[in-house]
Amino acid sequence: MIDHDLLKKALAVAIGKGADFADIFVEKSLYNWVSADDRKIETDLAAERGVGLRVVTGGRSYYAMTNSFEEAEILKLAAYVRDAAGGANKEIGVIDLRQKDLGWEHPFKISAAQASAGPKADIVKRAEQRAWETPHAVQATVRYRDHERAVTLASTLNDSIISHTLGLTEFAVIVIVDKNGTRESGVFGRSFYGGLEKLEGKYAPEKIAANAAEMATIMLGAKDCPRGEMPVVFAPGDNGILFHESCGHGMEADLVEKGSNFAGQMDKPVASKLVTLVDDGTIPGYPGSFEYDDEGTPSQNTVMIEKGILKNYLHSAITAKKFGVQPTGSARRESYKFPPIPRMRNTYILAGESDPEDIIKNTPHGLYAVETGGGGQVNPITGEFITSIKLGYLIQNGKITHPVRGASIIGRGIDTLRNIDRVGSDLEITYSPGRCGKGQNVPVGVGMPTVRVKSLNVGGTGEAYEGGK
Amino acid sequence: MNRLELAERLVERARKLGADEAEAYVLQSSSVEIHVVNEQADSVNYKDSGGYGLRLLKDGRMGFASSSDLDLSAADDIIRKLIDNTARHSRDEHNVLPQSVPGTADDRSLELYDETVKTTPIGKKIEKAITIEKAAKAADPRIVQIGWLQYGDGADEYAIVSSKGVKGEMRDTSAYGYIMAVGMESGSDGSPDPATAQTGNGLDVKAFLSELDPEYIGKKGAGYALRMLGAEDGATSELTGIFPPESGHSFVDLVADMISADLVQKKKSIFTGKLGEMVASDKVTIIDDGRLKGGMGSSAVDAEGVPTTTKNIIKNGRLEQLLYDCYTAHRGNTLPTGNAGRRSYTTRPGIGPTNFYLQKGDISRDEIIGSVQNGLYVTELSGLHASVDPVTGNFSIPCKGILIKGGELGRPVTNITVSGNIFDFFKSIDAVADDLTWEIQDSVIGVPTFRVDGIKVSGR
């Protein structure tokens, strides 16, 4: 995209006033959308290219970007950021950068950028057809999105150049049903670090549509979820969003630095002994995976909590230096328009020893949370978080009984982690559909086994909860 | 080549390569974002970006593509790919581009643009940001920490040209400051106790840099944190709810989202089939005014070049009007309301509010508080996007508040949710105060304090 000599030249300008390090990020990407909505197929297309340049000095970061690939513009950008960061002029020798080898297979077997809209529209139509077969369907929406990003990072931090491909293929189906004036919806989505080849087998478009259809149908028979404090058993998989929100963010080192509720807790117990929480960027094909992060640090599987003890925060190079530790490969950016900051990748709780069926049997009453509502947020300072449950079931006398709809779950991160009293053996890491927003959107994965939390505040739309009564 | 010329050339190229009609939107924007930690700039980001969005109509199909490569020679490739993609679309007779209305697309009388947003040196902006932090800390010794502090500004300049004769240029600026102030009470050893931490968000957005008051933002954040200190977990109950602007805006924002004719026509909105019906109490009148003088959501024309309008959305509880762009107006056999908006050059125009507000009443906030025996003054609502079902209107929203006993604000409570159905909620609004306040986040929303008879609270 841009000649390596020019990247070196720009870096030499950038560190010309004695910066700790500088990096330059070049990106050329194509974003495609194909949707079926209201029985209509449409597509969108976005071509993005740009250059972002960062100078870091004394732990402070200065960043600027341009859409131009012209030498004069890029050198001007470098000088601009250098001057913004300040410092005294310094003699800079020749910048020598090694090209890093890639160990991972190319993530896109079918290139999303090169594939035409035809096969993508066909896949969308297959899901659309299945979605409209749902009894009482009044609307069906299918969303296919992909983006393939060719990126090059040159950095004086590790004296290297890395060129690789990032991106995501996302597929989601929403079905709205209406039975005698009762209106409900079912939603199901999956996302992959890879191309069209992923939408097969278990993740074939019809299967994804069928999941949404089934959920809509069950929702029609659901009652309002009761409200109040109750034990909650979480089904495995996508509900891992609970840990992403309730504790993952508070362990991102830039938020720890600002006083998150996990600050000052290193090597201390922050969770039940049953809990080991990891943030893993190394599982090929998952939405939060990549070989190198956006500062050139190899991705890793970071143990955040080990048997209840806080072991690691998630670090960029900048925060790692401030904390006196090694970066964890967690520095990510949405695109060339943003500097990298510490982010989660695929976050999950490791499997425990309980039989998932026994967990339900041994819960006299409470809520079995099945489908997450897909969102949530956290106040990292106080640790107060929310996630929503779109579909759950009541547990009565150790048995799953009738479905309930629409509940928010709120709590404080560390309290919730300490209240976990059963962890199942059935870990599922999912190709979860979520992206995480923290000023910038990046794809993330989540996962968990069946987990029971002794007591959680459930904000349902139904009557006040009265335990087993 | 300037923006207008580029837009004209893009339309020309699209027509030449086979489009029946075309519309180009060219954006150039420059922005700054400053993060402050411990009274020092921790991170400074400059964005100087541009791009175009191109819509084209061919055989009753509407395609869209965008690019950040402003080099016209690269545009042909994009246009060819776009035409190829568009052939896959379903035909739809309602796909239309608007005819230009003479003398409107270049009407800049409602434009809010401040030269100094671009010309003020970065050092002055950093100073402004640091002042926010200092003001928060100076407000009270219990403000011991800052959870987030950000200053940002931006200047957007854009041109829109279509083969139907729309042609105009516009620009706007904005500047904002945001702080999350953290308050703590002292523990037994006299030092701040993190277990008592409460946060307060101070945010303000202005079109003119000189109007952005960092002291006000800092004090606001600090005040919101301080009033929650000592909060206890709330109990499950049913109470009279009072929603001041800092929490009530979320509900008006929700109406602004769901009132889109696109969602209604596709049966995705709770307002589907409700036009002409009572959807709120007679105290509720909601207006969307694209022509409000000085409004942050004002402009002479919308993102498709259609003149903006002023209209009642809900009049004394009755749903009177949806928000339309050209497509939905054609489909609904009505006129567009000038509510097409764009978030960036990378997305097609969509439907959105302009200056969208709940009309004020004639009693004061204090009178409303004084009228309540057992109530909850809701100070913060969180995660609305995850908490409201867009199909049924059922919601369950985590919140914080201050209990009202005998007409007076009492102790703060947290770890609770309010739940119900959005229609029941709006039908239970029985008093609206006179303190209309603009809350600007994703949309420009105006809301006074209002009272809701009977809200379900779940907690301990």
Side-chain angles (χ1 to χ4, degrees):
Chain A
M1 288 181 281
I2 289 182
D3 184 56
H4 287 185
D5 286 337
L6 173 54
L7 299 180
K8 291 178 198 168
K9 229 172 175 177
L11 288 177
V13 172
I15 58 171
K17 288 192 173 172
D20 300 342
F21 70 90
D23 54 21
I24 181 164
F25 186 82
V26 185
E27 169 169 2
K28 205 166 172 186
S29 305
L30 200 64
Y31 294 72
N32 286 290
W33 293 260
V34 182
S35 67
D37 191 19
D38 208 24
R39 298 190 188 270
K40 256 179 70 185
I41 301 270
E42 283 198 327
T43 72
D44 277 357
L45 166 73
E48 279 289 326
R49 63 161 212 184
V51 178
L53 190 140
R54 177 171 70 151
V55 171
V56 176
T57 184
R60 295 192 306 278
S61 144
Y62 297 83
Y63 191 78
M65 51 130 303
T66 175
N67 294 119
S68 173
F69 280 8
E70 298 293 321
E71 172 158 353
E73 283 299 317
I74 289 168
L75 294 180
K76 200 171 96 187
L77 186 76
Y80 184 73
V81 185
R82 174 199 63 201
D83 292 346
N89 286 333
K90 203 178 135 189
E91 197 63 36
I92 301 297
V94 176
I95 301 238
D96 192 22
L97 305 176
R98 281 169 299 107
Q99 170 104 28
K100 276 203 189 169
D101 294 333
L102 299 183
W104 286 22
E105 266 180 53
H106 194 279
F108 287 81
K109 292 221 165 55
I110 299 174
S111 164
Q114 278 158 29
S116 81
K120 297 172 188 176
D122 291 344
I123 279 180
V124 166
K125 283 178 196 161
R126 280 162 59 192
E128 184 194 26
Q129 193 183 348
R130 174 63 188 85
W132 277 108
E133 287 166 12
T134 315
H136 312 292
V138 292
Q139 188 56 278
T141 306
V142 180
R143 286 202 195 107
Y144 169 92
R145 297 199 285 186
D146 69 45
H147 62 271
E148 191 174 337
R149 305 167 54 211
V151 306
T152 294
L153 172 80
S155 175
T156 67
L157 178 68
N158 30 40
D159 295 319
S160 63
I161 293 188
I162 296 165
S163 292
H164 61 149
T165 302
L166 298 171
L168 194 72
T169 294
E170 299 165 84
F171 198 81
V173 178
I174 305 165
V175 183
I176 301 178
V177 289
D178 191 323
K179 189 181 176 189
N180 307 326
T182 302
R183 189 163 268 262
E184 285 295 347
S185 65
V187 184
F188 194 75
R190 284 291 171 250
S191 70
F192 309 90
Y193 178 28
L196 275 183
E197 73 277 0
K198 300 281 188 183
L199 292 168
E200 282 179 354
K202 204 174 157 189
Y203 304 111
E206 297 85 359
K207 297 266 172 65
I208 289 177
N211 277 317
E214 187 193 351
M215 182 172 170
T217 303
I218 298 172
M219 292 291 290
L220 277 176
K223 300 178 183 174
D224 290 342
C225 186
R227 60 203 162 96
E229 283 218 343
M230 61 191 84
V232 181
V233 178
F234 289 91
D238 286 354
N239 283 319
I241 185 78
L242 176 73
F243 299 100
H244 172 104
E245 296 298 350
S246 67
C247 43
H249 280 295
M251 293 185 215
E252 291 166 340
D254 56 335
L255 297 180
V256 174
E257 198 194 349
K258 294 184 171 101
S260 89
N261 61 322
F262 286 94
Q265 302 288 326
M266 195 51 81
D267 295 319
K268 291 183 185 165
V270 293
S272 139
K273 276 185 204 154
L274 301 173
V275 176
T276 295
L277 177 72
V278 302
D279 184 74
D280 185 356
T282 67
I283 341 163
Y286 279 78
S289 297
F290 43 82
E291 188 175 357
Y292 292 99
D293 77 0
D294 291 330
E295 286 176 334
T297 306
S299 189
Q300 56 167 243
N301 183 358
T302 310
V303 178
M304 293 148 79
I305 298 173
E306 190 174 13
K307 294 182 177 154
I309 308 294
L310 180 62
K311 285 294 173 192
N312 284 294
Y313 298 129
L314 301 177
H315 283 288
S316 66
I318 295 181
T319 62
K321 192 169 178 198
K322 285 180 185 167
F323 282 70
V325 297
Q326 290 301 311
T328 57
S330 307
R332 304 180 66 187
R333 56 177 119 205
E334 180 180 319
S335 73
Y336 68 92
K337 292 179 181 173
F338 300 90
I341 53 174
R343 300 300 293 263
M344 280 175 264
R345 295 160 298 201
N346 305 295
T347 312
Y348 54 90
I349 296 241
L350 296 194
E353 284 166 8
S354 297
D355 177 337
E357 283 180 26
D358 285 348
I359 296 178
I360 308 267
K361 268 187 215 152
N362 292 316
T363 304
H365 57 85
L367 177 68
Y368 182 53
V370 179
E371 297 284 351
T372 150
Q377 69 180 51
V378 67
N379 177 329
I381 301 292
T382 60
E384 294 163 306
F385 69 90
I386 78 155
T387 65
S388 62
I389 300 298
K390 186 166 167 68
L391 174 64
Y393 290 83
L394 286 186
I395 302 174
Q396 289 166 315
N397 301 318
K399 286 203 177 71
I400 289 171
T401 59
H402 64 257
V404 290
R405 69 166 77 94
S408 295
I409 293 205
I410 62 176
R412 292 188 188 85
I414 294 179
D415 292 350
T416 304
L417 288 170
R418 286 184 177 146
N419 264 325
I420 291 175
D421 66 353
R422 294 283 189 286
V423 176
S425 55
D426 53 346
L427 168 65
E428 252 182 63
I429 308 165
T430 66
Y431 294 98
S432 50
R435 293 183 193 214
C436 170
K438 180 178 164 188
Q440 318 176 20
N441 279 303
V442 296
V444 293
V446 298
M448 68 184 289
T450 298
V451 162
R452 185 171 79 181
V453 183
K454 261 188 297 197
S455 169
L456 267 175
N457 186 347
V458 176
T461 48
E463 294 307 308
Y465 182 70
E466 288 175 357
K469 278 171 246 164
Chain B
M1 198 182 310
N2 69 29
R3 284 177 294 279
L4 205 59
E5 280 165 16
L6 179 60
E8 282 179 313
R9 296 290 295 279
L10 284 165
V11 169
E12 235 173 72
R13 291 306 305 159
R15 292 284 296 262
K16 195 147 241 161
L17 291 168
D20 298 336
E21 302 288 348
E23 171 206 73
Y25 169 89
V26 177
L27 173 72
Q28 237 150 6
S29 87
S30 61
S31 65
V32 173
E33 195 180 290
I34 299 164
H35 297 263
V36 167
V37 176
N38 295 328
E39 302 187 12
Q40 271 203 334
D42 183 63
S43 152
V44 179
N45 306 327
Y46 302 89
K47 269 189 218 167
D48 206 345
S49 68
Y52 63 84
L54 183 68
R55 283 202 296 175
L56 61 80
L57 203 53
K58 188 170 165 58
D59 304 329
R61 301 176 171 96
M62 182 83 87
F64 176 82
S66 73
S67 175
S68 67
D69 186 346
L70 294 178
D71 191 346
L72 201 60
S73 61
D76 279 6
D77 278 351
I78 301 276
I79 295 170
R80 281 197 195 93
K81 192 150 189 172
L82 171 58
I83 288 178
D84 186 49
N85 281 2
T86 306
R88 315 271 173 194
H89 292 202
S90 316
R91 281 180 85 110
D92 189 337
E93 53 170 328
H94 305 303
N95 282 325
V96 284
L97 288 176
Q99 288 290 350
S100 75
V101 180
T104 52
D106 51 1
D107 173 3
R108 294 163 82 155
S109 59
L110 291 164
E111 184 175 281
L112 297 178
Y113 188 87
D114 176 10
E115 253 343 301
T116 69
V117 167
K118 269 171 108 169
T119 56
T120 302
I122 191 74
K124 290 268 182 229
K125 294 175 178 176
I126 292 174
E127 246 170 60
K128 239 181 195 296
I130 292 171
T131 306
I132 300 174
E133 178 169 353
K134 285 185 171 157
K137 286 180 174 163
D140 194 288
R142 291 171 297 170
I143 300 297
V144 291
Q145 195 175 305
I146 306 300
W148 196 271
L149 202 165
Q150 189 172 332
Y151 163 92
D153 64 38
D156 281 352
E157 298 172 72
Y158 47 97
I160 174 172
V161 170
S162 85
S163 55
K164 300 281 247 181
V166 171
K167 182 176 169 183
E169 274 193 285
M170 264 178 282
R171 54 185 194 164
D172 55 60
T173 51
S174 66
Y176 67 88
Y178 168 71
I179 187 171
M180 180 195 264
V182 185
M184 289 183 201
E185 291 183 299
S186 301
S188 46
D189 63 350
S191 64
D193 176 6
T196 65
Q198 290 292 338
T199 57
N201 295 321
L203 168 72
D204 204 15
V205 188
K206 297 283 186 214
F208 292 83
L209 192 51
S210 60
E211 289 174 9
L212 189 75
D213 179 358
E215 297 263 352
Y216 165 76
I217 297 165
K219 280 182 192 153
K220 186 164 148 184
Y224 285 176
L226 293 167
R227 70 183 178 181
M228 291 307 296
L229 280 177
E232 294 168 12
D233 286 356
T236 298
S237 52
E238 221 158 311
L239 296 167
T240 300
I242 296 197
F243 294 82
E246 63 266 28
S247 63
H249 76 90
S250 302
F251 285 97
V252 180
D253 201 7
L254 195 71
V255 175
D257 282 349
M258 292 200 173
I259 207 70
S260 142
D262 190 55
L263 293 182
V264 171
Q265 289 172 353
K266 290 177 179 165
K267 302 187 180 72
K268 293 178 182 179
S269 164
I270 53 164
F271 293 116
T272 304
K274 301 272 186 194
L275 210 54
E277 288 186 18
M278 291 296 285
V279 294
S281 84
D282 61 4
K283 304 275 186 212
V284 175
T285 291
I286 291 179
I287 295 163
D288 182 67
D289 186 358
R291 311 195 74 82
L292 187 69
K293 202 87 195 152
M296 289 283 289
S298 296
S299 59
V301 294
D302 74 358
E304 292 183 300
V306 172
T308 54
T309 57
T310 304
K311 61 270 177 195
N312 289 323
I313 301 300
I314 295 173
K315 171 81 175 163
N316 297 330
R318 194 176 303 280
L319 182 62
E320 291 199 337
Q321 176 72 52
L322 308 175
L323 305 181
Y324 292 92
D325 60 3
C326 286
Y327 171 84
T328 53
H330 196 272
R331 184 172 169 180
N333 199 19
T334 181
L335 292 172
T337 55
N339 283 92
R342 292 188 201 246
R343 297 212 172 263
S344 134
Y345 66 88
T346 59
T347 52
R348 299 176 177 243
I351 296 175
T354 57
N355 302 290
F356 195 89
Y357 66 98
L358 173 62
Q359 200 172 51
K360 65 182 184 179
D362 49 18
I363 56 171
S364 71
R365 183 188 309 201
D366 288 348
E367 281 174 275
I368 287 196
I369 295 169
S371 70
V372 173
Q373 276 308 308
N374 270 310
L376 179 69
Y377 184 85
V378 178
T379 54
E380 201 179 309
L381 291 165
S382 50
L384 212 70
H385 63 288
S387 327
V388 182
D389 187 317
V391 174
T392 59
N394 289 336
F395 65 83
S396 149
I397 309 169
C399 73
K400 298 178 180 191
I402 301 171
L403 292 174
I404 302 175
K405 279 263 187 287
E408 287 189 19
L409 292 176
R411 65 186 177 83
V413 289
T414 180
N415 212 14
I416 50 177
T417 62
V418 290
S419 56
N421 179 277
I422 201 82
F423 288 124
D424 299 339
F425 182 88
F426 276 100
K427 283 178 180 164
S428 305
I429 292 180
D430 60 2
V432 179
D434 57 7
D435 57 343
L436 178 68
T437 305
W438 291 96
E439 297 278 340
I440 301 165
Q441 287 176 22
D442 282 343
S443 303
V444 181
I445 302 291
V447 61
T449 299
F450 59 86
R451 185 177 70 200
V452 181
D453 181 33
I455 54 166
K456 278 183 191 170
V457 176
S458 48
R460 198 168 17 86

